[in-house]
Amino acid sequence: MARIHNVTEFIFLGFSPSREVQKVCFVLFLLLYTAVVLGNSLIVLTVMTSRSLGSPMYFFLSCLSFVELCYSSTTAPKLISDLLAERKAISLWGCMTQLFFMHFFGGAEIFLLTVMAYDRYVAICRPLNYRTIMNRQVCAVLVGVAWVGGFVHSFAQILLLFHLPFCGPNVIDHYFCDLLPLLKLACSDTFLVGLLIVANGGTLSVISFGIILASYVVILLHLRTRSSEGRSKALSTCGSHITVVTLFFGPCIFIYMRPSTTLSVDKMVAVLYTVITPLLNPVIYSLRSAQVKKAMKKLWIRAMKLDEK
């Protein structure tokens, strides 16, 4: 079947038709997104300017914060502007662009979280060889693989969706363009495409989550031979990562690891991985890491001295 794109734009239903609710949501999401931008930018800036945060763990943390910032920015600005708009519209090409970059950054984050789990495995289970194994070249290659993996994942999703004809309804019961709501609007049978999307997105999430869990099982088994002080120190560095992994993968698996159907709770679940997780990422890592808090304090002192001059 040839592609038929009679639809040139899509209309978002958003969260509620009530103007009062939309105004409240506007203030709420504006504050949340501002916190996402400031928090993740602060993490990136702190790691880049602090010599004490030169280990691979903090290099990956800065990369994660940058990805989280980009990931949230694919949906939050449009959501915030639409909350004040009478007509919440996006063009067909704008929709496909938003969808591509959302899955690009989301896929990169999945691979990056897996890389961070591997980094913790090497640091705890092979500490004597850690600097040799996780040298700068290896770290750069691993981050590059994460970006390439995200691109391949997103390109595959777009390829599956783009050939579908959109010739009728154009109302999306969501606040951004996502795969499953768009499948409902296609003017053809989407059963096979839905299965392939689940195989791509859902399977990637489950396999990556499984690898991360397996790495932490190995780490926990290895820590049995350590002293109580060594165990607590190792677990403190892993706790932040486990928390972020759970917050990100839980909603993703719920959305993308089921048949191509949409539920009423999908919009609220999407808020978790598009806004809340990017917001909590800098909070979780900064509160649990004394080194990060110390480096942030030094950065603040330097900034105050510059202002005095």
Side-chain angles (χ1 to χ4, degrees), residues 201-219:
T203 305
L204 173 63
S205 298
V206 170
I207 291 177
S208 299
F209 189 56
I211 292 172
I212 293 172
L213 288 181
S215 68
Y216 278 108
V217 168
V218 174
I219 288 172

Side-chain angles (χ1 to χ4, degrees), residues 41-288:
S41 298
L42 180 59
I43 290 284
V44 174
L45 184 62
T46 301
V47 174
M48 289 177 61
T49 58
S50 177
R51 293 182 179 180
S52 63
L53 302 180
S55 69
M57 178 177 70
Y58 295 112
F59 169 68
F60 293 134
L61 173 59
S62 66
C63 293
L64 177 65
S65 292
F66 178 73
V67 171
E68 292 269 32
L69 176 58
C70 295
Y71 183 59
S72 185
S73 296
T74 61
T75 58
K78 175 64 175 169
L79 165 63
I80 293 168
S81 64
D82 280 348
L83 287 169
L84 294 181
E86 290 290 337
R87 191 167 180 269
K88 303 167 178 54
I90 187 172
S91 68
L92 173 65
W93 289 104
C95 182
M96 294 299 168
T97 301
Q98 184 185 58
L99 185 66
F100 173 81
F101 281 106
M102 180 186 170
H103 283 269
F104 172 46
F105 292 121
E109 181 168 352
I110 288 175
F111 286 108
L112 192 55
L113 288 170
T114 308
V115 166
M116 293 175 74
Y118 174 70
D119 172 70
R120 291 299 82 208
Y121 162 77
V122 176
I124 294 171
C125 299
R126 304 186 63 182
L128 298 179
N129 299 321
Y130 178 63
R131 290 289 181 180
T132 303
I133 296 174
M134 301 300 292
N135 57 59
R136 288 192 174 187
Q137 289 78 11
V138 170
C139 291
V141 169
L142 290 174
V143 171
V145 168
W147 284 109
V148 172
F151 177 84
V152 172
H153 160 71
S154 183
F155 185 75
Q157 299 286 59
I158 286 292
L159 205 61
L160 289 171
L161 191 69
F162 190 70
H163 83 282
L164 294 176
F166 295 100
C167 53
N170 69 333
V171 177
I172 300 176
D173 188 13
H174 216 305
Y175 64 89
F176 64 88
C177 288
D178 204 3
L179 295 163
L180 300 185
L182 283 172
L183 285 182
K184 293 179 65 176
L185 303 182
C187 304
S188 65
D189 182 22
T190 60
F191 178 75
L192 179 59
V193 174
L195 287 180
L196 293 174
I197 285 174
V198 169
N200 182 11
T203 305
L204 173 63
S205 298
V206 170
I207 291 177
S208 299
F209 189 56
I211 292 172
I212 293 172
L213 288 181
S215 68
Y216 278 108
V217 168
V218 174
I219 288 172
L220 290 174
L221 293 175
H222 182 80
L223 289 176
R224 291 188 303 175
T225 61
R226 296 278 189 93
S227 63
S228 58
E229 183 181 352
R231 282 198 299 270
S232 61
K233 184 178 180 181
L235 288 174
S236 67
T237 62
C238 297
S240 302
H241 185 244
I242 294 173
T243 304
V244 171
V245 164
T246 304
L247 287 172
F248 182 76
F249 277 94
C252 286
I253 291 173
F254 174 79
I255 294 290
Y256 298 110
M257 199 54 196
R258 67 171 193 252
S260 54
T261 56
T262 57
L263 302 175
S264 59
V265 297
D266 284 354
K267 284 183 278 190
M268 298 309 300
V269 173
V271 170
L272 291 177
Y273 61 83
T274 59
V275 179
I276 302 302
T277 300
L279 170 67
L280 294 179
N281 171 41
V283 176
I284 292 169
Y285 279 105
S286 60
L287 288 180
R288 295 185 65 93

